[in-house]
Each structure stands twice: as C-alpha cells, then as structure tokens.
Amino acid sequence: LWKAVEFIFGVYVSIIVSRMGFKSQIVIVCLIALILFIVALCWSFGPTDAGNFTYVLTCTAILLITNILMWQKYVRRKCKRDEAEETPITDEQKMKELLKQRLQEIARSE
C-alpha cells in the first residue's frame, strides 16, 4: 500500500512539474485513471490467489503509466523544438548570441 501511495504521488508531481497545459494534464490524469480502473476490475474478478497474476498486473499498470508520462514529456519537448526551428532568428537575437559568445571567450582568456 505504501509503495502505491509513493507511486501515485510521483505521478502527480511528474504531471505538475512538467509545465503542460491544463487540458493536457486532464487528458493524462484521465488515461491514468482509466488504467487504474481496469487494474481494479482485473483484481476484483481475476484469480487474485495466484501471485503471478497480481505481480504481472501491478507491473503492467506501472509500466503503462510510466510510458504514458515519458511519451507526453517527449512529445512536448519535440513540439517545442519544432516551434523553435520554425521561428526565424532576428538580427537582435543574432547580436545577443554573438555578444554572449564574445563575453564567454573573454572570460575564458582571463
């Protein structure tokens, strides 16, 4: 039971810290709730006296939830990277980059 509470808290923190939009958070929470609901149904009507059944069910649920969270973070990063590539670099940004590089060179030489 304690590990389940730790896992749920970890999922909650992962969703909150990821800085996604509210709609995306709701979708992820609904997917996780759906997985947990299916696991609860399987535990209710499955052969719970078999140790392997419970172990496999728990592991599958944890792997699914973890993969959903990792996939969501990957997609978010990929979308941000694509948006950054599509945005043209302005002259001001080029000058800032050049100034930054020059200041770093000066700092290294001293």
Side-chain angles (χ1 to χ4, degrees):
L1 181 65
W2 180 250
K3 286 294 180 187
V5 171
E6 284 180 342
F7 179 71
I8 292 170
F9 179 73
V11 168
Y12 170 74
V13 169
S14 177
I15 291 171
I16 297 301
V17 170
S18 66
R19 298 183 198 150
M20 354 183 262
F22 183 72
K23 187 176 181 180
S24 299
Q25 288 180 357
I26 295 297
V27 170
I28 296 294
V29 168
C30 288
L31 284 173
I32 292 171
L34 178 68
I35 291 170
L36 294 177
F37 179 72
I38 292 170
V39 167
L41 284 177
C42 291
W43 263 331
S44 298
F45 300 112
T48 55
D49 55 336
N52 287 341
F53 175 77
T54 305
Y55 177 75
V56 167
L57 193 61
T58 305
C59 289
T60 304
I62 289 173
L63 284 173
L64 280 173
I65 292 171
T66 305
N67 285 332
I68 287 172
L69 291 173
M70 296 300 287
W71 175 78
Q72 167 266 327
K73 288 181 181 183
Y74 171 76
V75 168
R76 192 175 140 268
R77 285 183 188 154
K78 178 119 174 88
C79 288
K80 274 190 172 182
R81 194 177 316 136
D82 291 345
E83 288 175 5
E85 289 175 358
E86 291 176 2
T87 307
I89 299 174
T90 63
D91 291 335
E92 182 180 349
Q93 290 172 335
K94 287 179 187 177
M95 290 301 292
K96 283 182 182 179
E97 283 296 319
L98 289 173
L99 181 61
K100 188 177 179 181
Q101 288 175 357
R102 183 67 181 137
L103 289 173
Q104 287 175 350
E105 290 173 6
I106 292 171
R108 285 186 205 134
S109 65
E110 292 181 355

